[in-house]
Amino acid sequence: LGGFLGTSHWLFPRFAAPIALNSERGSLMVTVPGGCHHFARTRAMPRPHRVDFEGAWHHVMNRGVARTVIFDDDRDRTGFLDELSTASVGHFAIHAYCLMGNHYHLLVQSIDGTLSTAMQRFASQYTHRFNRRHGRDGPLFRGRFLSVGINSTAHLVQALRYIHLNPIMHHPQRQPESWPWSSAAAYDVAARVRGQTHDRGQTHGSDPVARFVDPSWLMTSELLDVFAVQGVASYATFMADGIDAATAQFNAKLQMGSDPWV
């Protein structure tokens, strides 16, 4: 996969600037030469403007205030995806997602350069929905969502892998598509259709194909096209290789406050 991950801007001709990560505590500028990441966090700075434009890719994440849960049950998760899909219309395309207990990850592409506004509206709508259902008051999320701009093919597919493997990082014996609240099962099904995966032997009688329901708002073809065009490794092989060291180190440094993201 060396040559594949070493490709830089053929898929992203408009990305000439370094990756820009913004949070409510400062700005982190990241460059990715050959998959390497360099970090420089600023402190006590005014809230920065997010870098966004038509066609920009972002790894988006947020978590509950004081690390509290943002999903009590599957009804909350369904409501979250409903609000997300509604907020995305005309503003951003959803290419991958993962919902955990107290945080979420998204891989999105901006349609009109208004990702920040759309995500703020989404967070407000979901918070209102969650609070009304559970009889609570006040903010649900820790702050503004965290976003990492993506400027290379290597970073794009690494972000996809990180999001899909997030639920099983501490359970390597499990398959990513076994987690029902991510897009991993959708990609597994689509990759099977394309011949980009193989039968890894499902256990306990659970087959992702049988239980998978394809949400109309989830876009899988563009990222699977990356593997097809490169012709170096299949989606399944890339997932099976696990999270590479550079990506693991990078995501360990993604912080809101002092706690690393997982």
Side-chain angles (χ1 to χ4, degrees), residues 65-107:
V65 62
R67 290 188 279 181
T68 56
V69 297
I70 57 176
F71 312 109
D72 269 357
D73 52 29
D74 287 352
R75 184 175 170 185
D76 286 335
R77 295 182 179 92
T78 300
F80 179 96
L81 294 178
D82 286 344
E83 297 291 352
L84 180 67
S85 62
T86 299
S88 72
V89 175
H91 302 294
F92 59 90
I94 304 166
H95 291 265
Y97 69 91
C98 180
L99 311 186
M100 301 298 289
N102 68 353
H103 69 282
Y104 67 82
H105 291 271
L106 307 174
L107 185 58

Side-chain angles (χ1 to χ4, degrees), residues 44-62:
M45 290 183 64
R47 175 175 291 188
H49 294 292
R50 298 185 186 275
V51 178
D52 187 32
F53 51 86
E54 180 182 346
W57 288 83
H58 301 271
H59 178 183
V60 172
M61 61 207 88
N62 207 344

Side-chain angles (χ1 to χ4, degrees), residues 72-149:
D72 269 357
D73 52 29
D74 287 352
R75 184 175 170 185
D76 286 335
R77 295 182 179 92
T78 300
F80 179 96
L81 294 178
D82 286 344
E83 297 291 352
L84 180 67
S85 62
T86 299
S88 72
V89 175
H91 302 294
F92 59 90
I94 304 166
H95 291 265
Y97 69 91
C98 180
L99 311 186
M100 301 298 289
N102 68 353
H103 69 282
Y104 67 82
H105 291 271
L106 307 174
L107 185 58
V108 304
Q109 186 176 28
S110 184
I111 294 175
D112 62 356
T114 62
L115 177 66
S116 184
T117 301
M119 286 299 299
Q120 289 172 8
R121 184 181 306 114
F122 155 72
S124 176
Q125 291 294 328
Y126 178 68
T127 297
H128 176 72
R129 181 173 185 154
F130 185 91
N131 285 353
R132 181 177 57 192
R133 179 169 182 244
H134 296 289
R136 69 182 298 276
D137 191 19
L140 178 62
F141 296 105
R142 177 162 182 169
R144 291 199 302 164
F145 68 94
L146 196 68
S147 64
V148 182

